[in-house]
Amino acid sequence: MNRVYLELGPKKVFACSLDWPGWCRVAKGEEAAIDRLMEYVPRYRVIAERAALTFDPGDPEVVARVPGGTTTDFGAPEAIPGQDLEPVGADAARREVALMRAAWELFDEVAGESPEELRKGPRGGGRDLTKMVNHVQEAERAYARQVGVRHRPFTSRAGVDALRAELAEVLGRPWRPPLETAWPPAYARRRIVWHVIDHLWEIEDRR
């Protein structure tokens, strides 16, 4: 359960797990990206345990390399590997949605326990807590449109919960080609979970 693909940008490389959505790390170079991915095993294990899953991935096996672009170098995974276009059964989809739900729960808990003002970066940058939470939620609304889930701008927490419930239902279904949305469900699950836990870990590191 440690198939990894590498997304190769002009300057940076993402190492992303195909089996554990959201477990993706970026660095300058292939070996550095894989090393960084493995450094985050203990932190991703917290996500897996919340989903009642055992996370003991072992050595990574690089099964694909895909071209990235400027978004890769900016620090977000953008490429869709060929494996994401393969059929996905109901059990696998539900397992990955459990990880997505776990990431949401932990993000909300950490945000709820953190101060509004977070430590700034070396150049004085970085969002404070409310802006980061809003950014994560609005990004999910944009990501949801890529799989056919459309919601109006949020006016309350109930709107966030409704979006997440529908995303979990849609992305928890078995899937097989042809692709009828902008993103295949496997990529959507990975991108959504990556974004949530990337900011979850940022809050933990800056609070």
Side-chain angles (χ1 to χ4, degrees):
M1 291 290 285
N2 202 5
R3 299 176 304 149
V4 170
Y5 71 91
L6 301 178
E7 179 179 319
L8 311 176
K11 297 179 181 178
K12 295 184 179 180
V13 176
F14 260 100
C16 295
S17 171
L18 286 164
D19 302 302
W20 298 96
W23 186 34
C24 302
R25 294 285 90 190
V26 67
K28 293 182 178 180
E30 293 187 11
E31 290 188 11
I34 293 171
D35 289 345
R36 187 129 177 97
L37 184 74
M38 298 309 292
E39 289 172 6
Y40 275 74
V41 165
R43 296 184 83 168
Y44 192 89
R45 184 172 288 120
V46 175
I47 309 291
E49 288 177 350
R50 177 60 65 94
L53 296 170
T54 300
F55 182 62
D56 188 16
D59 294 333
E61 177 190 1
V62 176
V63 298
R65 288 173 171 81
V66 295
T70 55
T71 301
T72 312
D73 284 355
F74 179 74
E78 65 169 334
I80 298 175
Q83 288 84 352
D84 286 352
L85 300 174
E86 297 172 357
V88 177
D91 289 346
R94 285 194 294 265
R95 171 185 169 278
E96 294 194 2
V97 164
L99 289 161
M100 186 167 67
R101 290 184 185 277
W104 284 331
E105 289 177 8
L106 286 164
F107 179 87
D108 288 345
E109 289 175 13
V110 168
E113 299 166 354
S114 298
E116 173 62 25
E117 186 173 343
L118 301 173
R119 188 177 69 251
K120 301 301 181 185
R123 298 181 181 178
R127 300 177 180 91
D128 282 332
L129 184 67
T130 298
K131 287 186 177 180
M132 193 180 304
V133 170
N134 290 341
H135 165 70
V136 169
Q137 293 173 352
E138 282 301 317
E140 285 174 14
R141 199 168 66 85
Y143 296 161
R145 291 196 294 271
Q146 306 305 308
V147 291
V149 175
R150 289 174 170 79
H151 281 239
R152 294 181 180 278
F154 302 127
T155 59
S156 68
R157 176 65 202 207
V160 177
D161 293 341
L163 172 72
R164 289 179 172 178
E166 187 173 355
L167 269 175
E169 194 279 323
V170 168
L171 296 178
R173 301 169 186 166
W175 181 85
R176 63 174 49 252
L179 180 62
E180 296 177 343
T181 55
W183 288 355
Y187 176 77
R189 289 188 293 265
R190 184 182 312 113
R191 180 68 179 265
I192 291 167
V193 180
W194 166 78
H195 193 244
V196 172
I197 63 177
D198 191 60
H199 286 295
L200 161 64
W201 292 338
E202 181 185 356
I203 293 171
E204 289 179 335
D205 292 343
R206 292 178 53 215
R207 64 184 180 177

